[in-house]
Amino acid sequence: MKDKSKLTQAETQVMQALWSLPEDGALSSEIMDRMPEPKPAPTTLLTFLKILKDKGFVSSTKEGKAQRFRAEVSKDGYTRMYMKEVKQTFFGGSLSSLVSFFAKEEQLNDQEIQEILNIIEKKNS
């Protein structure tokens, strides 16, 4: 059975476009304007929006002959859930292992390391 809490790459692109629009939602044409190239066909976009509705990520309301789509899951909320899963799946739930991995893989410069340390200090004070 497919995990309804995960987004495919294409669904993520649709959500990114929707998240970049006002919170009261947008018509599919407005979402299409925010999609990266190559843009999907309008019917493909509507299919993705229906899938996202079925998964609970999007809601819609009738507006004349069109529908206004609204994100039901915030970008921060999805990111938080996704990163918790990454931390659990790949790092055994250890935040320090996750941070160590990115510190090594991303070859952080001194400024980036200092920014991270500042964030940790603020969190602890």
Side-chain angles (χ1 to χ4, degrees):
M1 184 171 169
K2 221 175 184 182
D3 186 349
K4 287 189 165 199
S5 66
K6 291 182 184 175
L7 296 175
T8 65
Q9 183 177 358
E11 292 166 352
T12 300
Q13 288 179 336
V14 174
M15 289 303 297
Q16 290 283 4
L18 195 52
W19 285 323
S20 74
L21 290 158
E23 284 186 26
D24 64 341
L27 303 174
S28 61
S29 61
E30 295 168 315
I31 298 168
M32 181 68 82
D33 289 343
R34 300 287 178 110
M35 293 293 293
E37 294 292 341
K39 294 183 186 299
T43 54
T44 302
L45 176 59
L46 289 171
T47 299
F48 285 133
L49 288 164
K50 181 187 179 323
I51 291 167
L52 289 165
K53 275 180 66 173
D54 292 344
K55 288 183 171 186
F57 283 91
V58 171
S59 64
S60 67
T61 54
K62 199 96 164 124
E63 198 169 284
K65 291 183 178 183
Q67 289 193 49
R68 179 166 293 278
F69 297 93
R70 181 179 182 277
E72 289 297 321
V73 176
S74 71
K75 184 176 183 179
D76 285 346
Y78 183 72
T79 302
R80 192 175 302 107
M81 186 268 317
Y82 186 84
M83 290 308 296
K84 279 182 182 178
E85 186 173 322
V86 167
K87 182 178 76 169
Q88 190 60 43
T89 302
F90 296 102
F91 302 98
S94 168
L95 181 60
S96 59
S97 294
L98 181 141
V99 172
S100 279
F101 172 81
F102 283 106
K104 291 174 189 169
E105 290 298 313
E106 296 297 318
Q107 299 175 348
L108 301 174
N109 64 38
D110 290 342
Q111 180 184 352
E112 291 169 321
I113 291 169
Q114 190 57 53
E115 287 174 16
I116 292 168
L117 291 172
N118 290 342
I119 291 167
I120 293 168
E121 276 183 29
K122 284 180 185 175
K123 175 74 174 156
N124 289 332
S125 48

